[in-house]
Amino acid sequence: MMTLKEKIIRTVILMKVEVNLMGLCCSVPQLIVYSKLKKMKEGDLLDIIVEKGSSQEQDIITVLQKFGFRTEVSEKDDCRRYLVHVGDLGEITSSST
């Protein structure tokens, strides 16, 4: 169990990175997400934006399942956002928008 001081320190060093993959194709989106997740630390957030229903989205889901981090999914228009909680094991779930 973390002390209050440890929680405050962890909150301060938390990093959130947004990756917009709209319009990218082939293996580029998959490589970008994989590379970002490998470099990030526990407690960081990775916000991934993809085109809803695209092949790039399916590739991203495969990478996210490999890492197994808790991921929240939301939609707006033709975009889908995946908010990945690095270091927090869990499933990919839809969040209310």
Side-chain angles (χ1 to χ4, degrees):
M1 183 141 182
M2 289 194 305
T3 66
L4 179 59
K5 182 179 178 182
E6 289 171 328
K7 287 181 184 178
I8 292 170
I9 291 171
R10 181 175 175 181
T11 302
V12 170
I13 60 172
L14 179 74
M15 180 174 63
K16 181 177 180 183
V17 176
E18 180 179 285
V19 178
N20 187 335
L21 302 174
M22 299 286 285
L24 297 178
C25 61
C26 300
S27 61
V28 174
Q30 202 171 8
L31 292 171
I32 290 171
V33 170
Y34 183 86
S35 175
K36 291 285 184 193
L37 287 173
K38 289 294 280 183
K39 293 177 183 174
M40 296 178 84
K41 296 183 171 138
E42 184 175 347
D44 291 345
L45 298 172
L46 180 60
D47 190 8
I48 305 165
I49 303 168
V50 295
E51 295 173 53
K52 191 173 7 176
S54 65
S55 61
Q56 72 176 191
E57 182 179 26
Q58 292 306 311
D59 292 342
I60 296 309
I61 290 171
T62 302
V63 172
L64 296 177
Q65 288 172 336
K66 175 184 176 10
F67 280 89
F69 297 141
R70 183 170 61 92
T71 304
E72 298 170 20
V73 183
S74 60
E75 296 180 13
K76 184 175 181 184
D77 300 324
D78 63 341
C79 299
R80 196 167 278 147
R81 294 182 92 105
Y82 290 83
L83 183 62
V84 183
H85 299 259
V86 177
D88 187 3
L89 298 180
E91 298 180 351
I92 299 174
T93 59
S94 294
S95 62
S96 11
T97 54

